[in-house]
Amino acid sequence: AGRPPGSAMAAFGCSRPIQAEGDAPGTFVAAEEASRWIDEGTCCAVDVREPTERDPKGNMLPGALTLNMGHVMFSASSPEVSNIVETLRCADRIVCYTDHGVPESRCGALCQWLADERGVRRDSLYRLQFGLNGWKERGFAMCVEGDAAWNVAADRCWRGPRPQHWEIVGGADKGGIVVRSGVELSSPQLPERLSTGAIVQELELKGSRLRYRRKSGSGPETGWVSIALTGKVLANRVARPSPPPLARTACTSAAANVAAAPSPATASGGYPGASAKPAVADTVGAPPSGGGDDEDPAVDVSPAEAAGDEAPPLVGVEDRTGKVEFNDHVASMTFDDDDDTTTAGEDEPPVAAPSVASLPREAEEEEAVPPSSAPAPPVATPASPSAAPTATSGSTLGIGSKVDISGLKSRADLNGRRGTVVDHDAESGRFEVRLEGPRGDERIRCKPENLKLVVMRESSKKAEGDKAFKEGRLPEAVKLYRAALQEDAVGDAELGATLHSNLAAAFAKQGDHRAALAEARSAVNLRPTWAKGHSRMGLSLLSLGRHEEAQKSYIEAVKLEPTVDGYIAGLRQATERIYEKSTNATNRQAEADKFKANGNTALGAGDFSLAVALYTIALAIIAPAATGNQGLQHSLAVYSSNRSAAFAKLRQWEWALADGEASKKASPKWFKAYLRIGAAYLGQSHAEHAYKTFLFASDLDGGYKEALREAAVALWQIPRIESPLARKRIMRFSEDAHRPRDFARIFAISDVHIDHGASVLAWAEGISSTEFKNDILLVAGDLGDTFNAVKRGLMIFKKKFRRVFYVPGNHDMWIRPNTQDSTKLKFKDSICKLLAMFDMCEQIGAEMMPAEVMQNVFVVPLLSWWSSGYMGSSYDADDGLVYDSFCKWPMGDRVAHKWFVNWNDFFVRKVQQLQKTRGQKGEAITFSHFLPIGDLPVAGAPSAASYAVELEEQVRGVGAGIHIWGHTHVNMGAVIGGVRYQQHSLMGAEYGHAPQAKFLKIYEGKLLDNPRSHTVY
């Protein structure tokens, strides 16, 4: 290491103390600003004082590291100092301090050494103004290194997970990209753009909308931007190095000194291999073509667009020409599953997602009661009177108030729209309004002056009329409604329109459709944008035989509210009446195609509700003639597919799904129908179902490229844990959280390989059926080569233990030829097999998600795959080898690990939030199959195919006291950075095991300092 600027320190017998040179880096920062940075976790404090200057009772900044000039002069090359420096490299800001904080203090000297000798960014270096003395005078928190306050700050500032950063790549021709004040695209645009090339820190990510804090470049310091827009990437994730843990100790086992052989030929453990294909770049795919499926490519809706996200493309089938495919130690046994219901064959269309409605059936007339959120079948008789809109007490604007939007400048298109106040931000004074209309859950935030309160008058006569209508006293109801019009509705359009509508319903029920039509017209005149008024007109016109006029009225109703059963049904019935005398299929096809073409035009122009109406007409024209006619059946499929696209644009996912299913029914082998179904699944957050649906579509004629692009979006949605299926499984997290800390013991094992000979199966089945009935077992991967082998092993363990937690290893992810994985279950890739494992575990009671298994005791399975980011000292690159070629990773071998890291991140944050809320870490146990830290030896396995070092940050993030891993078949323990890392593999180096093999006991009332083996009998 180079000498620091200035002379040696007097404290070390030198002539004068070290001082900073005049141009030393390190801007002075006030204590108030530094305190805020520490609270935010955006800086790392460094105590530059010597040990003799510090008060042992506690006078450090929260979370501060210690790096002084003594370290620099006499131990700069030591591992301890090197680790501290590497930690500082990853910090957003570094604030150095001594007692006084004067310009010539040692802080400047240290800053200059860090910048000049160790390459730390100069713009990240700061010095604390007035030093520690000034900090104390201002009353900011002090702490002792290692106490609770210090640990909380350390976790937040440098020891916990690092924040995600992004580089702005869009807007180069415009000086940057647009920044808005809120997540909605309708929120106000800020005056400045965020410059192209700027680096920002992620604060929040919702779909394709990113809330950021600017780290470099120019533009607003914070705000909301889009990371992708209409197929164009605006921001890319930036790889940020994670700091290494500090104060690591040597391995405690003699096995730690075993050299890792570089040749895979001598490796004894299972390990995933690296293909020679480069990592896939993070880019967003363009939307698929076709909006009318055979028409304008600019008007289609893609699942990627619907989800508002980007995804790396899938690699498809990797080219392994000329490479040696290697799969280590294939099992000698298979377990055929006779239960055909366990997992559907992957060459069959994916089954429907749970709790998803089918398209509502259609009838002659709409229900007059305001529709619920879920579509319901209409009734075939004239309907009841409309309920009055909910009135707000007095004239106070608040949650639940009905309002009209007015005076907006940035979104003038919303002026005149009606909505309901659903939230209020007291700090900004703005109200969040859910708008009425065709789009699903459309919201906007408004100032009070842009909201006009809608309050309909109370009318006792109307209430009496409603009662008479329901009891069948129709003439009396008519009389009461007319009285209400004269006495209560003068000057009140809301009440007047409702009364005319109810009169129309009463006359229709009496069969007087001319009178009903006149009342419906009056309702429309008072409220032209009220769909129910138009539907009342449509019903009366239909009953009077004026079918073309009825069709026009129903078109207006559908345009205003496209997801009301009765409006769709009325439009369809009016159309059928118009064309009921047309028996020529060719003529019907030609007429239907005209409406379909107009629907495509409307879809392309953004008038999605009109598109729904026009596609509905096309369907109504062609459906009666389509039975037995294959060509017309495909036309039905096209029209349904197009209407599904329109519903998707409106974010009406249940309707989009129902039309996608209708398209599939009409044309079962048409890939577009499955794309529509997948898009609807994705819109409902059913990412797992969407992914499998897109994969199925990729095998159909013409669907390969487009379907794989959409599958990539669904694939990267899965680890967000947003699907109803995943959320349901998370519910097990707290089922035992109330139990005392000594309720159960926890045991661990890895690399059982239950299909490697009858002796292994005999060992498993011979485990005591009583000893572990109240206990927990962690299985750290490589349970079997096939799905049925893994299932068999977990079922055996579940009979012996109260709870069984499992993570898959590389063998578990294989799809071996000539096994049921490839012949019966037909997994298309290893992700599909993984999803099937989640389903299987749910069925048999095993678990792959974390849980609080006792009070403040957390078991955290960490899913993993090997990463080429760390090769280790024994790495010997050989791109001619493809390890674990039985695995099929859709994102590519060298990108798969990122998927698993993303999956784990959700649960790490969940545990951290609980720990933060409770103010204590508790006891956390993590486990994975692959090696989570580079200090662990790989024995005979190649380094390139053994490490998943991204897991280390997650292990430390939950404060794990112990981590169990597998893979290398070397039983050993090591304490590194305060965490005990332990392996306890059933199989030895040559896939043999002792008949009396034991479990490893790691918890009994507390984490055991020295885990020990425990007999299974």
Side-chain angles (χ1 to χ4, degrees), residues 576-587:
E576 288 171 350
R577 297 275 179 89
I578 293 171
Y579 291 93
E580 61 187 351
K581 294 182 181 180
S582 175
T583 58
N584 187 292
T586 302
N587 291 342

PDB file of all heavy atoms in Angstrom, residues 576-587:
ATOM      1  N   GLU A 576     -78.623 -10.193 -33.686  1.00  0.00           N
ATOM      2  CA  GLU A 576     -79.175 -11.458 -34.193  1.00  0.00           C
ATOM      3  C   GLU A 576     -80.518 -11.226 -34.858  1.00  0.00           C
ATOM      4  O   GLU A 576     -80.831 -11.843 -35.887  1.00  0.00           O
ATOM      5  CB  GLU A 576     -79.303 -12.454 -33.036  1.00  0.00           C
ATOM      6  CG  GLU A 576     -77.964 -12.994 -32.552  1.00  0.00           C
ATOM      7  CD  GLU A 576     -78.092 -13.810 -31.282  1.00  0.00           C
ATOM      8  OE1 GLU A 576     -79.193 -13.804 -30.671  1.00  0.00           O
ATOM      9  OE2 GLU A 576     -77.094 -14.439 -30.874  1.00  0.00           O
ATOM     10  N   ARG A 577     -81.325 -10.310 -34.280  1.00  0.00           N
ATOM     11  CA  ARG A 577     -82.638 -10.026 -34.878  1.00  0.00           C
ATOM     12  C   ARG A 577     -82.467  -9.354 -36.243  1.00  0.00           C
ATOM     13  O   ARG A 577     -83.249  -9.599 -37.168  1.00  0.00           O
ATOM     14  CB  ARG A 577     -83.436  -9.112 -33.947  1.00  0.00           C
ATOM     15  CG  ARG A 577     -83.757  -9.739 -32.592  1.00  0.00           C
ATOM     16  CD  ARG A 577     -85.001 -10.601 -32.620  1.00  0.00           C
ATOM     17  NE  ARG A 577     -85.224 -11.183 -31.305  1.00  0.00           N
ATOM     18  CZ  ARG A 577     -85.932 -10.597 -30.336  1.00  0.00           C
ATOM     19  NH1 ARG A 577     -86.429  -9.375 -30.531  1.00  0.00           N
ATOM     20  NH2 ARG A 577     -86.128 -11.220 -29.191  1.00  0.00           N
ATOM     21  N   ILE A 578     -81.451  -8.492 -36.369  1.00  0.00           N
ATOM     22  CA  ILE A 578     -81.220  -7.816 -37.654  1.00  0.00           C
ATOM     23  C   ILE A 578     -80.882  -8.820 -38.747  1.00  0.00           C
ATOM     24  O   ILE A 578     -81.339  -8.709 -39.896  1.00  0.00           O
ATOM     25  CB  ILE A 578     -80.092  -6.779 -37.510  1.00  0.00           C
ATOM     26  CG1 ILE A 578     -80.539  -5.630 -36.593  1.00  0.00           C
ATOM     27  CG2 ILE A 578     -79.662  -6.239 -38.867  1.00  0.00           C
ATOM     28  CD1 ILE A 578     -79.412  -4.674 -36.235  1.00  0.00           C
ATOM     29  N   TYR A 579     -80.090  -9.849 -38.408  1.00  0.00           N
ATOM     30  CA  TYR A 579     -79.575 -10.771 -39.431  1.00  0.00           C
ATOM     31  C   TYR A 579     -80.266 -12.135 -39.396  1.00  0.00           C
ATOM     32  O   TYR A 579     -79.803 -13.078 -40.027  1.00  0.00           O
ATOM     33  CB  TYR A 579     -78.065 -10.973 -39.232  1.00  0.00           C
ATOM     34  CG  TYR A 579     -77.257  -9.735 -39.554  1.00  0.00           C
ATOM     35  CD1 TYR A 579     -76.930  -8.825 -38.560  1.00  0.00           C
ATOM     36  CD2 TYR A 579     -76.861  -9.462 -40.860  1.00  0.00           C
ATOM     37  CE1 TYR A 579     -76.197  -7.678 -38.844  1.00  0.00           C
ATOM     38  CE2 TYR A 579     -76.137  -8.316 -41.166  1.00  0.00           C
ATOM     39  CZ  TYR A 579     -75.811  -7.424 -40.147  1.00  0.00           C
ATOM     40  OH  TYR A 579     -75.094  -6.284 -40.444  1.00  0.00           O
ATOM     41  N   GLU A 580     -81.421 -12.235 -38.702  1.00  0.00           N
ATOM     42  CA  GLU A 580     -82.029 -13.557 -38.542  1.00  0.00           C
ATOM     43  C   GLU A 580     -82.541 -14.136 -39.855  1.00  0.00           C
ATOM     44  O   GLU A 580     -82.675 -15.360 -39.996  1.00  0.00           O
ATOM     45  CB  GLU A 580     -83.152 -13.494 -37.509  1.00  0.00           C
ATOM     46  CG  GLU A 580     -84.284 -12.563 -37.864  1.00  0.00           C
ATOM     47  CD  GLU A 580     -85.284 -12.432 -36.709  1.00  0.00           C
ATOM     48  OE1 GLU A 580     -85.144 -13.199 -35.736  1.00  0.00           O
ATOM     49  OE2 GLU A 580     -86.175 -11.567 -36.779  1.00  0.00           O
ATOM     50  N   LYS A 581     -82.805 -13.291 -40.811  1.00  0.00           N
ATOM     51  CA  LYS A 581     -83.299 -13.801 -42.091  1.00  0.00           C
ATOM     52  C   LYS A 581     -82.183 -14.118 -43.072  1.00  0.00           C
ATOM     53  O   LYS A 581     -82.439 -14.641 -44.162  1.00  0.00           O
ATOM     54  CB  LYS A 581     -84.261 -12.789 -42.710  1.00  0.00           C
ATOM     55  CG  LYS A 581     -85.536 -12.604 -41.903  1.00  0.00           C
ATOM     56  CD  LYS A 581     -86.483 -11.625 -42.583  1.00  0.00           C
ATOM     57  CE  LYS A 581     -87.760 -11.424 -41.767  1.00  0.00           C
ATOM     58  NZ  LYS A 581     -88.693 -10.463 -42.411  1.00  0.00           N
ATOM     59  N   SER A 582     -80.926 -13.796 -42.692  1.00  0.00           N
ATOM     60  CA  SER A 582     -79.799 -14.058 -43.595  1.00  0.00           C
ATOM     61  C   SER A 582     -79.296 -15.473 -43.349  1.00  0.00           C
ATOM     62  O   SER A 582     -78.754 -15.785 -42.295  1.00  0.00           O
ATOM     63  CB  SER A 582     -78.678 -13.053 -43.333  1.00  0.00           C
ATOM     64  OG  SER A 582     -77.540 -13.362 -44.110  1.00  0.00           O
ATOM     65  N   THR A 583     -79.494 -16.362 -44.322  1.00  0.00           N
ATOM     66  CA  THR A 583     -79.101 -17.763 -44.172  1.00  0.00           C
ATOM     67  C   THR A 583     -77.821 -18.096 -44.917  1.00  0.00           C
ATOM     68  O   THR A 583     -77.300 -19.203 -44.791  1.00  0.00           O
ATOM     69  CB  THR A 583     -80.221 -18.677 -44.687  1.00  0.00           C
ATOM     70  OG1 THR A 583     -80.488 -18.352 -46.062  1.00  0.00           O
ATOM     71  CG2 THR A 583     -81.497 -18.496 -43.863  1.00  0.00           C
ATOM     72  N   ASN A 584     -77.306 -17.173 -45.701  1.00  0.00           N
ATOM     73  CA  ASN A 584     -76.105 -17.430 -46.494  1.00  0.00           C
ATOM     74  C   ASN A 584     -74.861 -17.197 -45.644  1.00  0.00           C
ATOM     75  O   ASN A 584     -74.614 -16.076 -45.176  1.00  0.00           O
ATOM     76  CB  ASN A 584     -76.099 -16.519 -47.727  1.00  0.00           C
ATOM     77  CG  ASN A 584     -74.963 -16.845 -48.675  1.00  0.00           C
ATOM     78  OD1 ASN A 584     -73.801 -16.633 -48.333  1.00  0.00           O
ATOM     79  ND2 ASN A 584     -75.309 -17.347 -49.853  1.00  0.00           N
ATOM     80  N   ALA A 585     -74.078 -18.254 -45.434  1.00  0.00           N
ATOM     81  CA  ALA A 585     -72.905 -18.163 -44.568  1.00  0.00           C
ATOM     82  C   ALA A 585     -71.871 -17.196 -45.120  1.00  0.00           C
ATOM     83  O   ALA A 585     -71.209 -16.473 -44.364  1.00  0.00           O
ATOM     84  CB  ALA A 585     -72.280 -19.552 -44.388  1.00  0.00           C
ATOM     85  N   THR A 586     -71.727 -17.165 -46.439  1.00  0.00           N
ATOM     86  CA  THR A 586     -70.743 -16.264 -47.053  1.00  0.00           C
ATOM     87  C   THR A 586     -71.108 -14.814 -46.795  1.00  0.00           C
ATOM     88  O   THR A 586     -70.243 -13.981 -46.481  1.00  0.00           O
ATOM     89  CB  THR A 586     -70.648 -16.524 -48.561  1.00  0.00           C
ATOM     90  OG1 THR A 586     -70.295 -17.889 -48.787  1.00  0.00           O
ATOM     91  CG2 THR A 586     -69.605 -15.626 -49.199  1.00  0.00           C
ATOM     92  N   ASN A 587     -72.398 -14.513 -46.922  1.00  0.00           N
ATOM     93  CA  ASN A 587     -72.837 -13.138 -46.669  1.00  0.00           C
ATOM     94  C   ASN A 587     -72.625 -12.757 -45.201  1.00  0.00           C
ATOM     95  O   ASN A 587     -72.222 -11.635 -44.884  1.00  0.00           O
ATOM     96  CB  ASN A 587     -74.311 -12.980 -47.043  1.00  0.00           C
ATOM     97  CG  ASN A 587     -74.533 -13.075 -48.547  1.00  0.00           C
ATOM     98  OD1 ASN A 587     -73.581 -12.921 -49.327  1.00  0.00           O
ATOM     99  ND2 ASN A 587     -75.775 -13.322 -48.964  1.00  0.00           N
TER     100      ASN A 587
END
